[in-house]
Amino acid sequence: MKTSKRQAGFGSSLFELLSSMRFAIGLLTILAIASVVGTVLKQNEPYPNYAFEFGPFWFRVFETLGLYDVYHSGWFLVILAFLVLSTSLCITRNGPGFVKDMRAFRDKASNVSLAAMKHSIELEGRIAPEAVAGYLGREGFRFKVREREDGATLFAAKKGVANKLGYFFAHIALVVICIGGLIDGNLPLKLGELVGRVVPETRDIPQSQIPEQSRLSAGNLSFRGNVTIAENKSADVIFQNAGNGYLVQELPFIITLKKFYVDYYNNGMPKLFASDIIVTDKRTGKETPATVKVNHPLIVDGVAIYQASFGDGGSPLELKGWNLAQPAMAPVTLRGTSLATQPLKANGRDYQLEFGELRVFNIENMGGAQGDAKTFSERMHDAREVKHEKALKNVGPSISFKLRDAQGQAREYQQYMAPITQEGASYLISGVRSEVAKPFQFLRLPLDDDGKIDTFMRLRAALLNSALYDEIAARTTAKALQGQAISPAMQQQFQSSVKWVLARFAQGGFSALEQFLDERVPADKRQAVAQTYVKILQGAVVDVMDVAQAKAGLAPLPEDGKHYRFLLDGLVGVSALNDYGAPVFLQLTGFEQVQASGLQMTRSPGKNLVYFGSLMLVIGIILMFYVREVRLWVLCYGDRMRVAMSSNRHSRDLDSDFARHTESLNQLVRDA
Amino acid sequence: MELVHSYENPSLLKRLSAVDWGYALLVLAAAAYTYVLYGEMLDYYEKAILAGASLGLVAMGWFWKPWRAFFPASGLLALGGISLYHGDLARGQSAFWLKYALSSQSAIMWMCTLFFLATAMFWAGLIRRSDTLQKLGSGLTWSAALMGLTGMFVRWYESYLIGSDVGHIPVSNLYEVFVLFCLITALMYLYYEAKFAARQVGAFVLLVITAAVGFILWYSFDRQAHEIQPLIPALQSWWMKIHVPANFVGYGSFALSAMLGIAELLVLRDAKRAELAGGEAQPGWFARRLPAADVIDEMMYKAITVGFLFFTIATILGAMWAADAWGGYWSWDPKETWALIVWLNYAAWLHIRLVKGWRGEPLAWWAVIGIVVTSFAFLGVNMFLSGLHSYGGL
């Protein structure tokens, strides 16, 4: 008996607490703070990224707390559940009272209580009950007349009770929205994972080999996942992220991508991403062609199909491989496919060639320097102009790839196909980096009059070929003598200097020369000696080219500024190739673009419920804020009457309303 | 059920004057003319937005009388500017009136200047306790808003001069929405200023607008952010026309309420000091110059209710847009999540005030802190967090 009473006491105080205001406010605050976590920590990243960022200890701690997917973690759902519970209890607690209050006219009010009201006044004069009734009616009040035993007549009027309706709308709306969200959430999936019915797949294996326990049937109530389809390929599943792995969601249809396309504005910004797809129903075989664009999803069988991303779908590539260790060797043609990996054998060593994405357009801002040097009036001019000419330029297709050696060490390269013009000369550009986090270092190889790198490669081959140094040195020395740059006595010494400089440069480019200077030449003479070396190189390179051309049976390069620049750029290129770190230079020469479209598909049956709840919420808020509940009492007794007013909320409007009603009723008395 | 404003007199229709009807006719005629001109190019939703906007504008004018002059005036100025272009954007730098007043950038620069002047005038008026100076401040605020709205209209037109596929409503990037923010905050202030006869708080409200104007100037001169950019595919939607303005009514109201919170705190601090000093003490510097604390308190409450309503609507519209664009009405994207946090914050504020009946200092502080949360949702998310809503990056 005693215990059950205590239990009842505990039960009711728990009810009291859960339905209380402070509990609700506390929940709102906790929910707000909890929500921050997921915005600060990037959600649903691959787990290795987190492990790398936090270290093994904190990675585990955060994983246990579910911080990598906060909004679907157990504790977050518990907070939401408590919010729903608290709101529901609040409604059940206050609801009946509110309904009663909405219905009631409060016609039992006594003289004393009316007189005690903040807005209350006693007026002199007699007024006909019909006049009061008429007035209240005109003013939009609903009222009840009560003939009291003491002979007085009480008009108890009310207006704006919809205000209380607003309370119901807004609070029920929250529950409705949460239920809708719950239907679309992944709660059943979480439960499935908990009991072991569903196990996310963590391996990177072909879709067809993924076991049953990681697959969800097409009958699944709600889902949201992605799939990337290459042109002319099909898919009938999507992939959902699930913690450290993923799940395969079967679709009731097959999607075939016919074509993906991108349109651009004049200034190079993307204007349209769209996929032409065919949806084939698995049961009926009915085919529905459609176009999916950003902002224009296609809805089939309650599944919404969105244009989410795009990329390369594995394009056949054609490359020219220049063996860098054997510069005299002719290039070989190499075929591959982007996004695929293939073995590569070079100079007796095995490598893995891992192709990345083929990018057909590379829009770069080549705009000049902005800013500081501008005068005030130029700045004013700019501030008035809403259109600026941007030097956006498409630098053409590029392919990235990693070259991994037998030890697993990889370097990443980015090859551009089209020549890039800088200060009037054309170059082939290649980027290289040894770490993913670093920016690319770019290599510029000068292109010859035919727009090819063959001449540069010939120059390099000759530079690295010590068998030619005698002939080159002889030519350079002869020119120097002829131009009286050296005296005949120095001839021998000069010739050997040329050979030495060439050999040293062939060993390691400019940095090898620099290293020699640093090690062997006193600091005060370095500058002068360095200048001499550079002069010798710049003179000799012309002869290197001539010898290389003659050996190849080709005409020498014309002697002009343009070609001299080509040779100097060539020296820089040869020097830089020492740091390139690849056994072969792979030049992109052709491709056949196959695009892929990333489609997101969702089924969210709770959506309409959420929208309905949202509508209720807005209506509720409007009713609560903009409909004022007002009560007005007119008590007539003999030659006097009392007018009193109250509102559920004190505001200045009540003051003015009270004054107005009093004035109007007084007027009625005078008119009577 | 009826609205507060229709309470003073028996019937709404009876209260309407000839001017009201004239204004309504003007707006509807303009909408009809727009439909005749561009109806073919509008899709179903855009037609609905045109109809809704014109009815909304009529209601706005009936509800807030100065709007009946303000809106047509900005329309006239904008049409004047547009007619000077002769379809050539380059005339913005050569035609006198465009170059110095009516091209969108000139108009917006005028808005900035006038807001600075208004701020100075309000503060001078506050310091010298001069009603005349404060009236001047109000006038300057009105003019600034006029130039701002004109600038937005002209900018809308200019975007079509850049390219017919480029044209769009100017609420698509951070620069444009900052102008919108200044405009909306100023107009809301002007409404409450008249309603509560509390022009003295203008000095405070104009401070937040000035801060935004400072940002606009930096953003324009240093970053050339005023350049009109075409819309990326994710923004090409009629949802933008309603989601963004609704959101900025919310942001504007919350900013307004925070500034009123500061004013109220200063008055309350003076009151507290006076109380401590005993009866003979003079009221403090702010207490002598600002309206009573409970008046400011009520203004603040009113601003937050409007803000809360519009912020709720804007968030719902955002969710509906997200369901079209991002693949789901709610993705716990940082922008969405912070919108929820802002919403929860003001929901708690309103509960405390309405249910617990709190007033004064704690709620004023809360409103001030609220703007910090709101600013983070508006700017901080774009600057520090990454997500789907990366349209307004700095």
Side-chain angles (χ1 to χ4, degrees):
Chain A
M1 184 87 188
K2 207 174 175 184
T3 44
S4 81
K5 200 171 182 183
R6 191 183 295 159
Q7 269 167 2
F10 176 72
S12 66
S13 56
L14 187 68
F15 175 77
E16 195 79 5
L17 171 73
L18 290 180
S19 61
S20 75
M21 210 25 234
R22 61 201 151 91
F23 188 73
I25 297 288
L27 274 177
L28 292 185
T29 317
I30 292 170
L31 184 61
I33 293 167
S35 301
V36 176
V37 180
T39 66
V40 180
L41 184 63
K42 243 184 148 195
Q43 301 285 289
N44 294 311
E45 294 272 289
Y47 275 29
N49 292 10
Y50 292 121
F52 180 75
E53 197 176 343
F54 302 121
F57 176 74
W58 288 109
F59 169 73
R60 276 284 136 73
V61 174
F62 290 168
E63 190 190 6
T64 318
L65 290 174
L67 296 193
Y68 308 138
D69 193 7
V70 173
Y71 307 112
H72 299 106
S73 68
W75 58 270
F76 194 83
L77 292 176
V78 167
I79 300 178
L80 282 178
F82 264 108
L83 192 69
V84 172
L85 180 71
S86 160
T87 314
S88 313
L89 290 179
C90 176
I91 299 166
T92 49
R93 182 183 174 177
N94 296 324
F98 278 8
V99 171
K100 218 170 127 192
D101 198 46
M102 276 166 68
R103 289 213 181 123
F105 282 92
R106 302 193 196 161
D107 52 341
K108 301 267 167 60
S110 69
N111 299 15
V112 180
S113 65
L114 287 179
M117 279 181 187
K118 199 163 167 246
H119 294 86
S120 180
I121 193 170
E122 191 166 58
L123 303 175
E124 299 278 341
R126 183 182 284 272
I127 186 167
E130 300 78 45
V132 176
Y135 176 73
L136 291 176
R138 280 198 304 281
E139 286 286 330
F141 281 99
R142 294 203 299 143
F143 59 92
K144 199 169 168 186
V145 193
R146 190 180 180 87
E147 302 288 347
R148 295 204 318 203
E149 286 169 8
D150 58 2
T153 312
L154 177 69
F155 290 84
K158 65 179 179 183
K159 186 153 83 169
V161 286
N163 175 283
K164 288 236 163 45
L165 220 52
Y167 163 84
F168 286 107
F169 268 81
H171 288 82
I172 294 173
L174 277 185
V175 178
V176 170
I177 290 172
C178 285
I179 292 172
L182 203 66
I183 294 173
D184 291 343
N186 61 352
L187 201 58
L189 217 59
K190 285 265 153 186
L191 291 176
E193 277 181 47
L194 212 60
V195 300
R197 191 169 45 80
V198 180
V199 182
E201 178 59 62
T202 51
R203 294 165 298 169
D204 194 7
I205 51 173
Q207 188 263 118
S208 53
Q209 293 169 26
I210 292 170
E212 203 52 39
Q213 57 181 9
S214 306
R215 306 182 84 92
L216 304 167
S217 83
N220 194 5
L221 191 62
S222 75
F223 54 77
R224 183 169 180 178
N226 290 282
V227 65
T228 303
I229 311 174
E231 282 172 335
N232 292 317
K233 294 270 162 49
S234 303
D236 66 345
V237 296
I238 51 171
F239 300 93
Q240 286 200 73
N241 267 335
N244 192 20
Y246 58 91
L247 295 165
V248 177
Q249 169 69 56
E250 313 263 0
L251 296 171
F253 45 71
I254 302 166
I255 289 201
T256 309
L257 177 68
K258 295 313 290 177
K259 183 153 185 54
F260 173 79
Y261 42 97
V262 186
D263 276 0
Y264 294 92
Y265 290 107
N266 282 338
N267 73 354
M269 275 172 64
K271 180 176 171 183
L272 172 76
F273 301 121
S275 298
D276 285 343
I277 56 171
I278 295 176
V279 182
T280 314
D281 192 291
K282 275 182 183 168
R283 251 174 342 106
T284 62
K286 201 181 124 221
E287 292 192 349
T288 323
T291 300
V292 176
K293 295 187 266 187
V294 176
N295 268 314
H296 298 277
L298 170 74
I299 295 167
V300 184
D301 273 353
V303 179
I305 304 166
Y306 298 88
Q307 179 68 56
S309 61
F310 66 97
D312 182 12
S315 309
L317 306 169
E318 193 189 281
L319 301 112
K320 215 184 241 184
W322 301 84
N323 191 329
L324 292 176
Q326 298 178 42
M329 217 177 103
V332 291
T333 302
L334 206 90
R335 286 179 201 284
T337 308
S338 60
L339 300 175
T341 299
Q342 64 188 69
L344 179 79
K345 211 170 168 80
N347 307 319
R349 288 190 182 187
D350 285 318
Y351 295 89
Q352 278 228 73
L353 179 57
E354 304 168 5
F355 282 111
E357 211 180 345
L358 171 78
R359 291 175 59 128
V360 177
F361 290 97
N362 284 284
I363 312 281
E364 304 281 343
N365 189 355
M366 320 286 265
Q370 281 193 337
D372 302 329
K374 285 185 175 167
T375 65
F376 180 73
S377 70
E378 275 170 342
R379 277 172 180 273
M380 283 308 287
H381 182 277
D382 280 353
R384 269 197 302 267
E385 191 84 272
V386 291
K387 185 183 172 192
H388 290 281
E389 291 308 331
K390 270 232 186 82
L392 286 178
K393 196 174 172 244
N394 178 13
V395 297
S398 72
I399 177 75
S400 68
F401 58 85
K402 282 183 185 153
L403 204 55
R404 197 177 294 279
D405 62 19
Q407 282 78 45
Q409 297 289 321
R411 276 187 165 221
E412 193 180 355
Y413 298 89
Q414 185 153 23
Q415 303 291 62
Y416 289 88
M417 184 170 163
I420 291 179
T421 306
Q422 285 178 339
E423 296 123 34
S426 295
Y427 301 91
L428 188 72
I429 303 287
S430 169
V432 55
R433 64 180 171 191
S434 50
E435 280 173 45
V436 177
K438 280 189 183 165
F440 276 106
Q441 305 268 324
F442 285 99
L443 182 74
R444 291 197 317 184
L445 304 184
L447 296 174
D448 55 28
D449 296 345
D450 299 333
K452 292 182 172 168
I453 56 167
D454 297 43
T455 309
F456 165 78
M457 286 297 181
R458 240 183 344 263
L459 173 71
R460 178 170 182 272
L463 262 171
L464 302 189
N465 186 354
S466 55
L468 300 176
Y469 291 176
D470 279 334
E471 191 186 346
I472 295 164
R475 285 184 182 216
T476 312
T477 314
K479 272 194 211 157
L481 267 176
Q482 201 180 358
Q484 293 179 339
I486 54 167
S487 64
M490 285 172 66
Q491 189 178 352
Q492 199 63 37
Q493 196 195 343
F494 182 78
Q495 198 159 344
S496 63
S497 291
V498 172
K499 276 158 74 177
W500 183 86
V501 169
L502 287 174
R504 186 83 199 176
F505 184 78
Q507 245 172 49
F510 289 115
S511 49
L513 286 170
E514 230 168 85
Q515 198 190 341
F516 174 81
L517 289 171
D518 289 346
E519 284 170 5
R520 302 288 176 81
V521 180
D524 55 330
K525 290 191 183 151
R526 269 179 213 157
Q527 185 94 25
V529 178
Q531 271 178 9
T532 313
Y533 286 171
V534 168
K535 264 191 196 149
I536 290 176
L537 257 182
Q538 288 177 345
V541 70
V542 180
D543 302 311
V544 176
M545 194 72 250
D546 285 350
V547 169
Q549 291 294 90
K551 249 192 93 204
L554 296 166
L557 260 57
E559 282 182 37
D560 55 22
K562 185 184 157 207
H563 289 89
Y564 188 56
R565 183 176 157 192
F566 169 85
L567 294 173
L568 296 187
D569 284 333
L571 282 178
V572 175
V574 171
S575 176
L577 271 175
N578 284 311
D579 302 323
Y580 195 59
V584 285
F585 182 83
L586 291 175
Q587 185 192 356
L588 179 62
T589 50
F591 63 85
E592 199 180 306
Q593 190 188 19
V594 175
Q595 298 193 86
S597 177
L599 300 175
Q600 179 167 142
M601 289 176 223
T602 61
R603 181 188 273 164
S604 47
K607 188 166 96 170
N608 289 333
L609 206 56
V610 170
Y611 288 177
F612 175 69
S614 303
L615 181 67
M616 279 179 73
L617 180 64
V618 171
I619 294 173
I621 291 175
I622 291 174
L623 291 181
M624 280 202 294
F625 291 152
Y626 298 107
V627 175
R628 213 152 35 89
E629 184 184 339
V630 181
R631 304 272 176 171
L632 175 68
W633 292 268
V634 182
L635 180 67
C636 308
Y637 44 99
D639 282 345
R640 288 160 175 273
M641 64 178 183
R642 176 164 288 282
V643 179
M645 262 184 101
S646 80
S647 173
N648 61 334
R649 222 165 278 157
H650 169 77
S651 68
R652 297 148 61 80
D653 300 312
L654 183 63
D655 300 344
S656 60
D657 282 348
F658 180 63
R660 193 166 60 78
H661 288 306
T662 314
E663 177 52 38
S664 306
L665 285 165
N666 246 337
Q667 191 65 41
L668 284 175
V669 172
R670 282 197 290 275
D671 292 348
Chain B
M1 128 168 70
E2 70 170 340
L3 298 184
V4 178
H5 328 285
S6 60
Y7 200 69
E8 295 151 34
N9 270 315
S11 143
L12 176 81
L13 286 182
K14 272 190 204 157
R15 265 186 297 133
L16 294 176
S17 65
V19 181
D20 285 316
W21 288 112
Y23 165 79
L25 217 61
L26 181 72
V27 170
L28 294 178
Y33 186 58
T34 308
Y35 187 79
V36 170
L37 273 183
Y38 302 114
E40 273 182 25
M41 283 166 247
L42 302 178
D43 66 21
Y44 175 76
Y45 299 102
E46 286 165 329
K47 283 174 189 166
I49 291 175
L50 176 64
S54 44
L55 291 179
L57 285 167
V58 169
M60 182 82 174
W62 286 358
F63 163 65
W64 186 30
K65 303 300 179 191
W67 185 261
R68 294 172 309 182
F70 175 78
F71 182 69
S74 72
L76 268 180
L77 279 177
L79 286 174
I82 288 168
S83 70
L84 289 173
Y85 267 113
H86 305 315
D88 175 18
L89 188 63
R91 276 181 59 82
Q93 295 282 5
S94 56
F96 178 85
W97 279 101
L98 287 176
K99 187 173 177 183
Y100 293 106
L102 292 176
S103 75
S104 72
Q105 274 309 107
S106 297
I108 288 169
M109 288 304 136
W110 272 111
M111 176 196 86
C112 295
T113 313
L114 289 164
F115 271 135
F116 278 135
L117 290 176
T119 314
M121 215 51 83
F122 270 123
W123 275 98
L126 191 73
I127 290 166
R128 301 188 56 182
R129 298 173 78 174
S130 155
D131 195 41
T132 317
L133 285 177
Q134 287 177 344
K135 262 188 193 147
L136 216 58
S138 292
L140 285 166
T141 309
W142 272 114
S143 332
L146 185 68
M147 289 316 282
L149 189 58
T150 304
M152 293 290 263
F153 282 141
V154 176
R155 190 178 168 91
W156 199 342
Y157 174 76
E158 285 169 354
S159 68
Y160 280 90
L161 289 184
I162 289 178
S164 59
D165 59 346
V166 175
H168 58 84
I169 185 171
V171 291
S172 69
N173 61 29
L174 200 59
Y175 176 79
E176 291 166 353
V177 296
F178 252 92
V179 178
L180 185 68
F181 172 81
C182 293
L183 190 63
I184 287 179
T185 313
L187 287 172
M188 292 198 54
Y189 162 70
L190 289 168
Y191 171 74
Y192 286 116
E193 171 201 275
K195 190 176 177 210
F196 286 84
R199 194 168 280 137
Q200 301 89 330
V201 292
F204 286 88
V205 178
L206 262 286
L207 284 183
V208 71
I209 297 178
T210 305
V213 164
F215 177 84
I216 289 175
L217 291 179
W218 169 78
Y219 210 34
S220 203
F221 280 90
D222 200 69
R223 297 289 190 92
Q224 276 79 44
H226 55 273
E227 184 186 345
I228 295 176
Q229 300 273 12
L231 290 180
I232 57 168
L235 290 179
Q236 292 166 13
S237 170
W238 52 272
W239 284 109
M240 188 172 78
K241 289 194 173 93
I242 48 181
H243 166 66
V244 181
N247 234 317
F248 277 84
V249 175
Y251 287 147
S253 323
F254 294 149
L256 177 65
S257 71
M259 297 321 282
L260 293 171
I262 292 175
E264 185 183 352
L265 285 173
L266 290 170
V267 174
L268 287 173
R269 195 191 59 166
D270 280 357
K272 226 187 254 170
R273 280 191 186 161
E275 209 173 295
L276 284 175
E280 319 85 82
Q282 273 262 320
W285 197 88
F286 286 107
R288 264 179 289 148
R289 288 172 167 80
L290 288 172
D294 64 332
V295 174
I296 306 180
D297 193 85
E298 185 148 343
M299 283 172 88
M300 183 173 74
Y301 163 72
K302 286 272 156 72
I304 286 184
T305 55
V306 173
F308 188 70
L309 173 64
F310 275 87
F311 197 79
T312 308
I313 293 173
T315 307
I316 293 168
L317 293 175
M320 294 169 102
W321 188 2
D324 268 1
W326 297 346
Y329 54 84
W330 198 262
S331 319
W332 293 104
D333 175 74
K335 196 75 171 184
E336 290 176 330
T337 310
W338 274 94
L340 175 70
I341 293 169
V342 169
W343 190 85
L344 290 172
N345 176 59
Y346 288 102
W349 192 97
L350 287 163
H351 275 93
I352 292 276
R353 182 178 163 112
L354 295 178
V355 182
K356 291 275 176 201
W358 286 18
R359 293 285 188 281
E361 210 179 321
L363 285 187
W365 271 114
W366 196 338
V368 176
I369 294 164
I371 194 62
V372 179
V373 179
T374 310
S375 308
F376 191 83
F378 170 23
L379 289 173
V381 172
N382 294 355
M383 286 160 69
F384 305 117
L385 308 176
S386 58
L388 296 163
H389 201 281
S390 46
Y391 311 126
L394 270 173

